[in-house]
Amino acid sequence: MSVADVDAEGPFSVFPETDRVITCVEGEGMVLTVDGAARAVGPLSPFAFPGDAATDCRLKAGAVRNLNVMTRRGRATAHVRLVTVGAAQGTELPYTAGETLLVLAVTEGIAAATEGVAAVTPGGQGTALGRLDCVRHEGPGPLTLRGDGAVAEIRITAVR
């Protein structure tokens, strides 16, 4: 997993036997052409594609910052989704045995009066997440998010 700045158009690096999920976390997005097929990738919209595919990038409106999650094909899989956390209630992210759960804060607090998102372990210990901070959770029990903002929920599962 990494966060990378893309400030120029052109080809992406090729990663043999790798699956990739890319999410634009800053900027207006990009158009990726993967093995000849163009796909618009908007802000906060995860897009999965083979890391060994010929991939070219065209920026929609200037530089972007991307969250990249890469897994070795046949050894692990990754799933990325955006989760909105509301101030009124906590958001629980369940834990499944054998899975690594990562949470990356992708926005500041949505409402001006909030301080963003905090991750709270089953034991009740909370950690405030600044923009692009990441927390790793490997159970037992769910990870609770409190506050106001959005996070990328990243689940990596070993292939058995």
Side-chain angles (χ1 to χ4, degrees):
M1 185 179 98
S2 68
V3 175
D5 293 327
V6 177
D7 57 7
E9 298 180 341
F12 274 17
S13 298
V14 173
F15 296 99
E17 300 176 31
T18 301
D19 290 319
R20 189 169 178 173
V21 182
I22 194 166
T23 308
C24 179
V25 296
E26 284 183 15
E28 297 300 313
M30 60 201 148
V31 175
L32 295 183
T33 301
V34 180
D35 280 342
R39 164 76 187 257
V41 179
L44 304 180
S45 296
F47 173 60
F49 63 101
D52 46 12
T55 303
D56 190 71
C57 174
R58 182 174 54 82
L59 300 172
K60 286 185 175 182
V64 296
R65 181 169 283 167
N66 293 324
L67 164 65
N68 291 287
V69 179
M70 293 186 246
T71 53
R72 179 73 60 200
R73 190 172 301 129
R75 296 192 62 194
T77 60
H79 179 75
V80 178
R81 76 176 180 121
L82 274 288
V83 176
T84 301
V85 180
Q89 73 285 350
T91 300
E92 280 195 354
L93 302 179
Y95 172 74
T96 302
E99 179 178 77
T100 299
L101 171 62
L102 302 160
V103 173
L104 180 83
V106 295
T107 65
E108 297 291 345
I110 294 171
T114 67
E115 297 179 15
V117 175
V120 182
T121 64
Q125 184 171 0
T127 302
L129 300 177
R131 180 156 168 64
L132 301 181
D133 280 351
C134 184
V135 64
R136 177 179 173 161
H137 180 65
E138 289 186 318
L143 179 67
T144 301
L145 302 173
R146 292 205 168 88
D148 198 1
V151 301
E153 174 192 64
I154 304 148
R155 293 185 180 271
I156 300 174
T157 307
V159 173
R160 301 193 193 278

